[in-house]
Amino acid sequence: MNRIYFFIYHLFAKNLPVSYNNFGNLSKKIRFLLGKRIVKSCGHNVNFEKGANFGSDLIIGNNSGIGINAQISRGVIIGNDVMMAPEVVIITTAHEYKETNIPMTDQGSQKHKKVIIKNDVWIGQRVIILPGVVIENGTIIGANSVVTKSFPPYSIIGGNPARIIKRRV
């Protein structure tokens, strides 16, 4: 049954106005009603923003949001109270490249690696999170960062590749 909701979401609701304009509250409610029927698990007060792409195996907690035009690959777990800015990309697989005598296009994909985003996280605009990364509780990720590895809880990270800028504790 979630295929019907998935189709309606992508055909119609995904393109409704952003949640913070005059019609945003209605848009947010429509996207939530469809989104919670698409994903594997959905908490309360979740915001699927305009243009957000996500799959049916997404798990998302209470009071969290997927930002405008975000691209969320399969196998992502998002905790509670996660803020996500526009154009975030979360990748859970990549192309294989180890054989130099075979074109990369013919080598297939690497094994899928989950991305886990824990609670109370703030992800800045245009952040890219690569496969297998765990974003710990209380982390802040600066805009345009590329997160290639996991960091301790309550870190403020940024850059390409991301590194610790400072700690919140």
Side-chain angles (χ1 to χ4, degrees):
M1 189 62 150
N2 70 355
R3 287 183 185 185
I4 294 169
Y5 297 113
F6 186 83
F7 180 74
I8 294 168
Y9 173 83
H10 283 279
L11 184 67
F12 166 70
K14 180 175 141 179
N15 300 310
L16 291 172
V18 295
S19 64
Y20 51 81
N21 84 356
N22 293 339
F23 300 103
N25 198 30
L26 179 59
S27 299
K28 180 179 177 179
K29 286 179 183 177
I30 291 170
R31 282 192 294 265
F32 173 71
L33 290 172
L34 293 169
K36 76 177 184 177
R37 287 171 174 82
I38 295 170
V39 301
K40 187 174 185 177
S41 177
C42 183
H44 303 292
N45 192 34
V46 171
N47 186 15
F48 299 97
E49 265 298 355
K50 178 180 181 171
N53 283 307
F54 52 91
S56 61
D57 64 345
L58 174 68
I59 296 172
I60 187 167
N62 299 324
N63 305 310
S64 293
I66 298 177
I68 298 166
N69 296 324
Q71 303 294 316
I72 312 296
S73 295
R74 66 184 187 96
V76 174
I77 299 171
I78 299 173
N80 298 320
D81 304 305
V82 174
M83 298 183 292
M84 185 182 298
E87 301 173 9
V88 169
V89 176
I90 302 175
I91 303 167
T92 58
T93 191
H95 292 284
E96 196 57 71
Y97 58 87
K98 292 180 181 164
E99 300 295 327
T100 57
N101 58 335
I102 302 172
M104 288 181 277
T105 57
D106 295 337
Q107 293 186 45
S109 296
Q110 294 176 350
K111 186 179 176 193
H112 169 80
K113 296 178 185 174
K114 285 188 179 203
V115 169
I116 299 170
I117 300 169
K118 294 192 177 176
N119 302 321
D120 189 29
V121 171
W122 177 12
I123 304 171
Q125 188 163 354
R126 293 190 187 104
V127 165
I128 299 172
I129 301 173
L130 297 182
V133 170
V134 176
I135 307 296
E136 293 289 345
N137 290 330
T139 298
I140 299 171
I141 308 172
N144 294 306
S145 297
V146 178
V147 185
T148 61
K149 64 182 183 177
S150 303
F151 293 93
Y154 302 100
S155 296
I156 299 174
I157 62 175
N160 180 5
R163 59 180 174 72
I164 295 178
I165 296 169
K166 69 186 235 184
R167 300 290 311 275
R168 292 181 58 206
V169 289

